[in-house]
Structures are given as structure tokens and as C-alpha cells.
Amino acid sequence: DVTLLDGALRRLAELAGGQPDEPGAGAAGGAAYGLAALWGARIVPGATTIAELVGLAEALVGADVVLTGEGRFDETSLTGKVVGSLLDAAGAAAVPVGVVAGQISGTVPGSVSAAMSLVGLAGSVDVALNDPTTWLAAAGEALSRQLTRG
């Protein structure tokens, strides 16, 4: 089914006159792609644009720490997503970063001062999902200890 649907979406893109392989036209950019192809909207990097709109660079000046997270922290977190963009900005401002994620896979980059996985703390996905408030609080306590040691 995926192959069939992918082919149909590619055909729709051809009919709409857009460029389905351009950055921002992937799964997460589906609405943006439609707006660009059909109505001439511009596709811009979301994380960078939002950081500029909210004044992230200015907010990092004098910050003691940045805390961020997502459901799953992995190598894709560093490729155009909000977390990766935030890590870059915090690194440029020399602000330590703590990451909390439901799951962490792969190597955590050196730009992260401390990282906590809810599943790692809880012992399993089911336990973490059944009581996320408890495990988020535990992650906060653990991050606090790790970040204040340095």
C-alpha cells in the first residue's frame, strides 16, 4: 500500500507543478508542500524560523541552562528538527543543555550536558507510558543533579 500511495502522491505533485524532492516537501511538510505547489507559498525551515520569531538567540544570552526534549531522541533529532536547532543555538551561546526524551537511541552528542530517558528510568515503555508524570518528575530531578554537578 505504501508504494501505491507514494506513487499517487508523486503523481499529484507532478500535476500540481511542485517539486516533491525539495527540502520541506516530506511527510512533515505535506501541508506546506500543498500550499507552495498550489498557491505559491514559500517553504522555509520551521525550527530556524520559529527561533527567529521568538527571539531565541536573545533569550539564550545569560541563560543558565536549556531544557528540551521529545518523544524519541535519536540521530534524526539533529537534522532540522527543533531539538537539533536548539542544541546548535545553545552551543553557539555556550549554554549547557539537558534533554529529556521518552526514549534515547544512538549516541547523545557532546553538546548535550545531560540526557534522561523516561523509559530508561521507568524500566519499560509500558511503565513510562502508564505514568508519564512520575517519570518526567524523576527525569527532572536526575537532570537537576547532573547539571549542577558540572
Side-chain angles (χ1 to χ4, degrees), residues 72-148:
R72 181 179 185 83
F73 185 87
D74 58 24
E75 64 278 351
T76 68
S77 301
L78 308 174
T79 58
K81 291 186 177 181
V82 171
V83 171
S85 182
L86 186 56
L87 290 178
D88 292 343
V95 177
V97 177
V99 172
V100 175
Q103 295 179 308
I104 297 174
S105 69
T107 303
V108 175
S111 58
V112 174
S113 302
M116 285 291 130
S117 160
L118 301 189
V119 170
L121 290 169
S124 75
V125 172
D126 287 339
V127 172
L129 288 174
N130 285 329
D131 193 6
T133 303
T134 295
W135 299 109
L136 279 169
E141 289 176 26
L143 273 178
S144 167
R145 285 191 300 275
Q146 284 190 14
L147 290 167
T148 56

Side-chain angles (χ1 to χ4, degrees), residues 43-74:
I43 296 177
V44 297
T48 306
T49 302
I50 296 300
E52 289 172 7
L53 288 172
V54 301
L56 178 62
E58 295 81 14
L60 289 172
V61 174
D64 294 321
V65 67
V66 169
L67 298 177
T68 187
E70 61 183 335
R72 181 179 185 83
F73 185 87
D74 58 24

